[in-house]
Amino acid sequence: MESKVRVRFAPSPTGYLHIGGARTALFNWLYARRHGGVFVLRIEDTDRERSTDEAIDAIINGMTWLGLTWDEGPFLQTDRLDRYSEEAQRLLAEGKAYKCYCTSEELEEMRKAALDRKEAPKYDRRCLARSESEQAACEARGLRPVIRFRCPDEGTTIIGDQVKGEVVFENQNLDDFIMVRADGIPTYNFAVVVDDYDMNITHVIRGDDHLSNTPRQVVLGQALGYRIPEFAHLPMILGSDKTRLSKRHGATAVEAYRDEGYLPQALINYLALLGWGYEDQTVFAPEELIAKFGLEAVGKSPAIFDPAKLEWMNGVYIRELTLPELAGHQKSFMQAAGLPIEMYEDAWYLRLAEITQERLIKLADIVGLSDFFFSRVPFDPVAVEKVLRKEGTKDVLEKAIEVLSDSFTFEAHEIETRLRALAETTGIKAKFVFQPLRVAVSGRTISPPLFETMELLGRDTTIERLGEAINLLEPQDE
RNA sequence: GCCCCCAUCGUCUAGGGGCCUAGGACACCGCCCUUUCAAGGCGGCGGCGGGGAUUCGAAUUCCCCUGGGGGCACCA
């Protein structure tokens, strides 16, 4: 009987949840859900300089928005300090770790000297054999020791990685890394090992930037007598210039995507495709992702983040929304942009959602597509020049006013019938009657479908705008 | 400098010795639909980094090179 799957996402709270972190969280979550396992959230906040509560909130908010629900945690490493020092003391007592009184300056010098000699910087173990009296002398000088792990200097450490396969490291290339800082706070490589053990983590799924750290963690875990978890190192996500994805590649914070109007399911779907694939399929509902996800299908090579494909994916999911869902989202974005949304009824928004649904890439796009419904926007100069100032436009506008003033239900289909009839009787090509009307009514050459737009605007406003367009043309025409 | 990882269209990828004349998706370019913009349909452009080796046969296996990425902190 294989033990229950337990995975974790362990971000350090030094900033917002970024795309890379979200992808790691997603793969862990998928793996847990796929195997009926447990997903643990652990906050690695041992870097007290850079960790903030705001970042913790941002991570939690981001994951919640994405729907990556965790089953245990969030656990904070700073709440577990006693446990780490307990294990550190044990290693010290067993002679598997030792105190080091070297100062940062000394270490820096050593590093530089090694580099000058073209050697790998590696701690020279000058503190390994310090006698009790030497140590006492250091203490007396006010020096606070760090604790170093006594790394094995022979043999190899083999990582059986679920993604990368078997990776072999020579132990002699490892050095006696610091487990506990002078202030008593554990370093990452030590805290993870203790945590993953205490939290019974069975599979460590993380970015492959951690692959090089893995042998240190394994060797340390072995010294502590721990069962070593399975590892799966995911390929990195890179920017368009093939370097690690960062702010200079554009938005990397999950929250930024939310604010621009990306749907969480779209981001999830897109992220899942970064490093993982399933046959020829591109669009996956969450349940499908869970059912089909597997570490064996995770690729080994890094993936470049492509905003264009994400945009397309978002459009796909926007089109899958029900009208009430879309309308709800649109209202929030319109409100956030300062549009007076109380101006219209719910039914109106449903209709707006209907005619704009397939025109949106991001939810925020609704603002630029609907602002003119709330008040006149300035005429686009190019539109005025190319469409309105055309021979006969004024005539068309005047006739349209007449037609639209007739008594009939002011509904898209009716409007269309009458306006088409107008084009028919005047012998003007449909295009040349509709485009001027569009510009008159919306101020632009690009708008939602014309007749629906008029319907949503209402008869009075529509006629009023046509009149305003005529006025604009007056001086030139007379 | 040392250690590790990676390498199929511009991008994400399928492919795991003959089914490959290398498939799909995004992007791009045409055409169709059409009152604009979209959406949709159809079509096109475009790739196995290089060199050896194994084999009757290599995108698929092995080696070297090159290129890219990551690590070598009292960061995680």
Side-chain angles (χ1 to χ4, degrees):
Chain A
M1 179 73 191
E2 153 186 354
S3 62
K4 188 169 191 176
V5 164
R6 291 178 61 89
V7 295
R8 58 17 171 229
F9 174 51
S12 59
T14 55
Y16 297 118
L17 176 63
H18 55 90
I19 293 296
R23 202 276 309 255
T24 301
L26 170 63
F27 280 29
N28 274 282
W29 180 81
L30 286 174
Y31 194 75
R33 294 293 169 264
R34 173 76 181 79
H35 294 93
V38 174
F39 180 40
V40 177
L41 175 59
R42 182 173 73 223
I43 304 294
E44 311 221 317
D45 59 346
T46 53
D47 182 348
R48 295 179 134 169
E49 301 277 290
R50 301 194 300 150
S51 298
T52 65
D53 288 345
E54 294 73 57
I56 295 177
D57 289 343
I59 288 164
I60 287 177
N61 288 340
M63 289 181 65
T64 304
W65 178 68
L66 286 170
L68 302 179
T69 50
W70 55 95
D71 307 301
E72 291 179 19
F75 298 113
L76 302 194
Q77 289 187 321
T78 48
D79 287 341
R80 296 174 34 79
L81 266 20
D82 289 348
R83 179 83 251 262
Y84 307 128
S85 67
E86 180 180 63
E87 291 299 77
Q89 288 310 316
R90 211 179 99 213
L91 247 28
L92 235 28
E94 292 171 2
K96 292 172 178 168
Y98 60 94
K99 291 180 180 173
C100 166
Y101 290 86
C102 295
T103 63
S104 304
E105 294 72 41
E106 279 178 85
L107 294 171
E108 190 47 45
E109 264 175 52
M110 278 186 248
R111 227 188 319 274
K112 223 173 274 170
L115 252 21
D116 284 347
R117 274 177 279 126
K118 297 205 185 292
E119 282 170 19
K122 191 174 166 184
Y123 183 61
D124 66 5
R125 289 184 166 163
R126 63 179 62 172
C127 286
L128 176 56
R130 293 250 190 270
S131 64
E132 298 244 341
S133 58
E134 278 179 303
Q135 291 190 356
C138 288
E139 299 274 350
R141 280 196 287 146
L143 291 178
R144 308 294 306 155
V146 300
I147 299 176
R148 283 183 185 275
F149 177 64
R150 196 347 186 150
C151 267
D153 28 36
E154 286 180 344
T156 57
T157 296
I158 299 170
I159 314 295
D161 195 275
Q162 306 259 300
V163 172
K164 305 286 185 181
E166 203 164 86
V167 185
V168 182
F169 292 89
E170 298 291 331
N171 288 158
Q172 58 177 4
N173 290 324
L174 268 29
D175 75 342
D176 293 352
F177 61 90
I178 294 171
M179 298 166 40
V180 182
R181 302 175 171 91
D183 62 3
I185 307 291
T187 60
Y188 163 73
N189 280 124
F190 176 44
V192 219
V193 174
V194 176
D195 285 341
D196 285 341
Y197 174 74
D198 284 356
M199 295 173 192
N200 259 301
I201 300 304
T202 56
H203 302 256
V204 172
I205 303 171
R206 60 192 357 174
D208 73 9
D209 47 335
H210 288 286
L211 186 56
S212 300
N213 281 317
T214 309
R216 291 177 232 284
Q217 294 164 16
V218 167
V219 144
L220 182 53
Q222 285 166 343
L224 285 160
Y226 294 168
R227 166 191 40 72
I228 307 301
E230 293 289 326
F231 291 98
H233 287 93
L234 311 174
M236 300 264 81
I237 296 177
L238 311 177
S240 50
D241 59 355
K242 295 179 188 253
T243 62
R244 202 185 183 125
L245 190 66
S246 66
K247 2 280 154 270
R248 65 203 172 76
H249 294 111
T252 53
V254 166
E255 286 180 319
Y257 285 90
R258 180 196 62 198
D259 296 344
E260 280 182 52
Y262 283 89
L263 258 10
Q265 54 271 45
L267 194 50
I268 288 284
N269 194 154
Y270 178 70
L271 253 21
L273 259 21
L274 250 29
W276 175 84
Y278 186 85
E279 297 178 353
D280 278 349
Q281 197 173 341
T282 307
V283 178
F284 298 84
E287 319 77 60
E288 227 172 342
L289 242 26
I290 291 171
K292 291 172 174 169
F293 184 79
L295 254 18
E296 67 290 337
V298 173
K300 298 178 174 191
S301 48
I304 293 172
F305 182 77
D306 179 13
K309 190 160 185 176
L310 207 209
E311 288 191 339
W312 165 80
M313 185 76 76
N314 203 49
V316 169
Y317 281 92
I318 283 180
R319 276 169 247 131
E320 277 185 10
L321 255 25
T322 64
L323 259 21
E325 287 170 338
L326 214 213
H329 280 125
Q330 292 187 155
K331 277 177 83 171
S332 338
F333 277 87
M334 291 160 95
Q335 182 170 41
L339 295 177
I341 57 167
E342 62 289 341
M343 205 167 135
Y344 296 105
E345 310 275 290
D346 281 350
W348 188 91
Y349 285 98
L350 244 32
R351 190 88 167 101
L352 178 69
E354 191 182 350
I355 64 171
T356 52
Q357 185 162 39
E358 63 191 27
R359 271 159 257 267
L360 298 180
I361 291 175
K362 295 175 262 191
L363 292 169
D365 294 342
I366 188 59
V367 176
L369 218 50
S370 66
D371 53 354
F372 69 89
F373 283 112
F374 297 86
S375 64
R376 267 222 34 202
V377 299
F379 282 109
D380 167 16
V382 179
V384 172
E385 217 46 53
K386 298 184 91 168
V387 179
L388 250 28
R389 292 205 194 290
K390 269 262 173 69
E391 191 66 34
T393 295
K394 195 182 146 198
D395 193 43
V396 167
L397 295 176
E398 283 169 345
K399 291 216 169 70
I401 291 181
E402 273 178 46
V403 168
L404 296 177
S405 299
D406 282 348
S407 166
F408 68 95
T409 320
F410 206 70
E411 171 263 308
H413 186 70
E414 278 296 310
I415 297 171
E416 174 165 12
T417 305
R418 282 151 202 267
L419 253 20
R420 279 196 191 282
L422 170 65
E424 192 83 18
T425 55
T426 55
I428 303 173
K429 281 183 72 177
K431 183 176 181 178
F432 295 114
V433 5
F434 298 151
Q435 266 312 78
L437 293 177
R438 180 189 312 285
V439 174
V441 139
S442 72
R444 305 169 179 134
T445 52
I446 296 174
S447 81
L450 183 59
F451 314 117
E452 283 78 0
T453 294
M454 289 179 159
E455 175 191 318
L456 285 178
L457 224 32
R459 173 177 270 132
D460 294 347
T461 310
T462 299
I463 291 174
E464 186 184 312
R465 295 225 177 144
L466 295 184
E468 284 165 354
I470 291 171
N471 289 338
L472 180 79
L473 297 174
E474 262 341 292
Q476 271 74 21
D477 280 14
E478 292 308 299

